[in-house]
RNA sequence: GUCCCGUUAGCUCAGCUGGUAGAGCAUUUCACUUUUAAUGAAGGGGUCGAUGGUUCGAAUCCAUCACGGGACACCA
């Protein structure tokens, strides 16, 4: 790290000049007594008064200088704090002797964080502003901000230096406020329903609960490898065995796979498990959850998503097999006929392996012909058992499972089902996965004998659900890349960053 | 993984079929006491992502690499 850039050098010299004048360019406290938002709210009455100023009111605000307009013996600057932007009028004759010429004009600039005291007034152009009678630098910024009008356009810089993105782009701040609220509301919703928030291990001896490649780390004291968790599912079910009847966990999962607009190596989900309930109860609570989010987020029920509009008042529900013909336009006569589906896929120039079973082929039809058409929130229910290894079979139709996925704007948002709690069946399914692993499927589920042992003591009939928080926030904020809802998305190291990983 | 696009001043971007670097903002100096991306004048600032190659000459053409973006395939 070096500060050899000419602009940085100039600013360092200004910080030194401030010190030479007895001014600390990095003050250790502030006298701020109001925020910009409160200032605007409290003083909005001035617009209605004849004399649009009140010298008897006095406020101290603080923030970063975003704009700076100097006009001889007076200036306008705009400062911004987290709550908003405020214009400050700074006139030479209202400040201490020489301060305006020697300090304000020469040593304070855009990017610096300042504190200003004064009274409120409305300018000739009708902008409520602060008339400064004292001004103090709180923090000298030695790197210049990006260009004031276009801001920061370079996505790479926005992600690598998110703080600059946040400084320059209030829409980005808004997105992350919504994300924070979503997580907070999610927690409160489930707590209010009587769920217990729990924390289960992030470092697993066996990476289970999903089919995905894990990150591996090493525990020196024990001399063993540990896996960053790919899902909390198996631990949360152990807690149901233990007698907790409603648990949830909001936390990160880690998957050692590709990165793109909808995948980050670490992502946030909520998983919740509810004893003595079925997937039908989960559909009900999911609808309530969305109602709750929209009520508390102050968002309209009809939200744009790119070219689309999603109506969160229009939840619907349809069985997967039915959706193939009703929504996907696949001939109803073929949806339960393996050979006919194969022929249909081929006639649509889609790849289909003859080794695929009926359930997999139905899943293929769904992915190709239905998924993208599910714009308003849609529960797709009764997935074939072949593509639902952890879900309970339907009592009447054992080829199907008591499962649903929720789709919004053509994307999967949640996956839920009545849980498999037959320990013998679970053991057999794990053994099936081991066979798949032996024949080359490196994402097949690991055997977890301890989990089977847990089930053997009896897990009450339970329904469980996972919701991808990142994707949910994408929907709610009309963002189309997961990087835009993650404060610090995963990025490759740049050349000048030392990578302590193993050499290729 | 594959394909396409991008990388030029602190930032946002021009730079044509190769002739040796441009603008706006920012910065420096000057003027200006109600501006709204303030305005007017003058100046400084660049290993043109990296490394090779072609050429008398490369920001420009070619190759390789790095990083980023987008699309496709798999996973949430």
């Amino acid at each position: 790290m070096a500060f050899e850039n000419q602009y940085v050098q100039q600013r360092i010299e200004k910080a030194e000049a401030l010190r030479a004048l007895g001014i600390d360019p990095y003050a250790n406290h502030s006298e701020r007594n109001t925020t910009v938002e409160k200032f605007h709210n409290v003083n909005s009455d001035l617009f209605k008064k004849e004399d649009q100023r009140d010298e008897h009111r006095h406020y101290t605000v603080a923030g970063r200088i975003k704009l700076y307009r100097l006009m001889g013996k007076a200036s306008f600057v705009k400062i911004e704090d987290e709550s908003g932007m405020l214009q400050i009028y700074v006139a030479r004759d209202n400040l201490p002797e020489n301060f305006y010429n020697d300090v304000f004009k020469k040593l304070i600039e855009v990017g610096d964080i300042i504190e200003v005291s004064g009274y409120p007034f409305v300018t000739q152009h009708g902008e409520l502003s602060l008339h400064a009678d004292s001004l103090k630098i709180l923090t000298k910024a030695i790197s210049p901000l990006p260009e004031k009008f276009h801001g920061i356009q370079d996505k790479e810089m926005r992600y690598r230096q998110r703080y600059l993105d946040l400084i320059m782009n209030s829409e980005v701040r808004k997105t992350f406020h919504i994300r924070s609220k979503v997580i907070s509301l999610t927690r409160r919703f489930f707590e209010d329903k009587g769920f217990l928030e729990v924390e289960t291990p992030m470092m697993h001896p066996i990476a289970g609960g999903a089919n995905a490649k894990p990150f591996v780390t090493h525990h020196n004291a024990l001399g063993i490898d540990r896996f960053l968790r790919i899902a909390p599912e198996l631990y949360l079910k152990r807690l149901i065995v233990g007698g907790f009847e409603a648990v949830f966990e909001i936390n990160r999962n880690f998957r050692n796979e590709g990165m793109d607009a909808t995948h980050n190596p670490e992502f946030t989900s909520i998983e919740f498990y509810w004893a003595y309930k079925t997937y039908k109860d989960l559909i009900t609570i999911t609808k309530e959850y969305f109602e709750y989010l929209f009520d508390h987020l102050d968002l309209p029920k009809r939200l744009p998503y790119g070219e689309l509009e999603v109506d969160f008042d229009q939840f619907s529900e349809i069985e997967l097999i039915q959706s193939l013909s009703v929504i996907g336009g696949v001939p109803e006569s073929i949806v339960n006929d393996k050979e006919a589906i194969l022929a249909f896929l081929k006639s649509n120039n889609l790849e289909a392996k003859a080794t695929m079973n009926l359930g997999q082929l139905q899943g293929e039809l769904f992915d190709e012909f239905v998924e993208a058409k599910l714009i308003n929130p849609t529960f797709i229910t009764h997935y074939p058992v072949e593509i639902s290894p952890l879900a309970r079979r339907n009592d009447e139709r054992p080829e199907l499972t008591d499962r649903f996925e929720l789709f919004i704007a053509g994307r999967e948002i949640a996956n839920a089902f009545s849980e498999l709690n037959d320990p013998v069946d679970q053991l057999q399914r794990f053994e099936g996965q081991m066979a798949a692993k032996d024949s080359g499927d490196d994402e097949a589920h690991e055997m977890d004998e301890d989990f089977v042992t847990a089930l053997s003591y009896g897990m009450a009939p339970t329904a469980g659900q996972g919701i991808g928080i990142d994707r949910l926030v994408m929907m709610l904020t009309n963002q189309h890349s997961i990087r835009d809802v993650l404060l610090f998305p995963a990025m490759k190291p740049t050349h000048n960053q030392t990578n302590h990983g193993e050499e290729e």
Side-chain angles (χ1 to χ4, degrees), chain A residues 248-464:
Chain A
F248 75 96
E249 181 166 12
I250 301 173
N251 221 318
R252 233 69 66 78
N253 295 322
F254 305 88
R255 298 194 184 173
N256 206 342
E257 292 170 349
M259 294 155 58
D260 62 28
T262 54
H263 297 86
N264 196 66
E266 49 182 307
F267 65 99
T268 300
S269 71
I270 174 170
E271 284 200 16
F272 60 96
Y273 290 83
W274 208 4
Y276 309 111
K277 301 289 182 184
T278 72
Y279 76 102
K280 290 181 182 171
D281 300 301
L282 297 181
I283 288 178
T284 304
I285 201 174
T286 300
K287 288 180 184 171
E288 286 177 39
Y289 170 66
F290 274 90
E291 283 287 328
Y292 185 85
L293 284 184
F294 276 81
D295 280 354
H296 290 82
L297 283 171
D298 199 23
L299 285 174
K301 284 287 185 65
R302 294 164 79 97
L303 278 186
Y305 193 69
E307 308 276 299
L308 307 171
E309 186 183 76
V310 180
D311 188 342
F312 285 88
D313 269 330
Q314 299 291 323
F315 278 81
S316 61
E317 188 180 325
I318 184 169
E319 294 196 11
L320 186 139
I321 308 291
Q322 275 188 316
S323 77
L324 298 179
S325 53
V326 173
I327 297 171
V330 177
E332 196 176 352
S333 56
I334 71 161
V335 298
N336 282 306
D337 182 336
K338 187 184 151 182
E339 296 306 322
I341 295 173
L342 272 171
F344 182 78
L345 285 170
K346 272 182 193 147
S347 71
N348 281 280
N349 292 318
L350 295 168
E351 271 190 55
K353 297 182 195 108
T355 56
M356 289 175 108
N357 56 45
L358 177 62
Q360 287 172 322
L361 287 166
Q362 289 167 331
E364 196 68 20
L365 285 176
F366 178 81
D367 291 346
E368 292 293 342
F369 294 98
V370 182
E371 184 168 358
K373 295 174 184 164
L374 304 175
I375 307 306
N376 289 334
T378 308
F379 294 100
I380 299 293
T381 65
H382 296 90
Y383 277 64
V385 70
E386 298 97 321
I387 54 174
S388 310
L390 295 168
R392 179 189 177 90
R393 286 178 195 271
N394 184 269
D395 288 343
E396 284 80 40
R397 293 175 288 170
E399 75 280 10
L400 303 177
T401 56
D402 286 347
R403 174 185 178 194
F404 71 81
E405 291 194 356
L406 172 63
F407 291 85
I408 301 173
R411 289 162 197 263
E412 181 196 337
I413 294 294
N415 181 22
F417 37 83
S418 299
E419 300 294 336
L420 174 64
N421 66 346
D422 176 342
V424 175
D425 191 355
Q426 180 68 74
L427 180 64
Q428 285 166 352
R429 295 203 199 182
F430 276 153
E431 283 167 351
Q433 290 290 307
M434 294 312 288
K437 200 170 194 73
D438 289 343
S439 57
D441 181 355
D442 57 1
E443 288 188 359
H445 203 291
E446 296 284 344
M447 168 65 74
D448 191 335
E449 289 182 12
D450 184 68
F451 175 66
V452 175
T453 300
L455 285 189
S456 77
Y457 287 93
M459 181 173 80
T462 297

Side-chain angles (χ1 to χ4, degrees), chain A residues 202-215:
Chain A
M202 307 294 280
M203 295 197 292
H204 289 186
I206 296 168
N211 294 350
K213 290 179 201 145
F215 286 93

Side-chain angles (χ1 to χ4, degrees), chain A residues 11 16 46 77 79 82 129 149 164 177 186 192 227 251 258 316 351 363 373 379 426 463 497:
Chain A
R11 283 171 170 255
E16 289 307 315
L46 291 183
V77 299
I79 66 167
E82 192 178 353
S129 306
F149 187 57
L164 284 179
H177 270 117
T186 301
D192 289 352
F227 303 95
N251 221 318
S316 61
E351 271 190 55
K373 295 174 184 164
F379 294 100
Q426 180 68 74
Q497 288 176 318

